[in-house]
Amino acid sequence: MSRPSIAEVSALIADLAALCQNRTSAEYAALMARKADLLERIATHTPGDAEAAEVARLARERADSLKSAG
């Protein structure tokens, strides 16, 4: 996994804000998958950080549940 960049985090936050205005369930599911990917990459690059790993795990569970519901 590549190390996440500040630009990726900023882009995700901007997309989250835009999506809050007008979203479809498919767009939301795709964005949550993107969020989970980014959080997993952050956790990978911060070994030993149990909180980062847990946040990434929960985000992946949520993203997967949205994918299977759609």
Side-chain angles (χ1 to χ4, degrees):
M1 276 186 190
S2 64
R3 184 180 177 113
S5 70
I6 295 300
E8 287 178 293
V9 174
S10 295
L12 178 66
I13 291 168
D15 289 347
L16 283 168
L19 193 59
C20 287
Q21 301 300 319
N22 185 17
R23 70 176 189 199
T24 67
S25 59
E27 290 170 325
Y28 182 70
L31 190 57
M32 291 302 100
R34 188 171 143 205
K35 174 185 165 187
D37 291 343
L38 185 58
L39 289 171
E40 287 171 338
R41 289 172 46 214
I42 289 169
T44 296
H45 286 278
T46 54
D49 187 337
E51 185 176 358
E54 180 65 5
V55 168
R57 185 188 68 75
L58 292 172
R60 175 55 57 202
E61 282 182 8
R62 175 71 176 144
D64 289 348
S65 73
L66 290 170
K67 185 171 51 174
S68 65

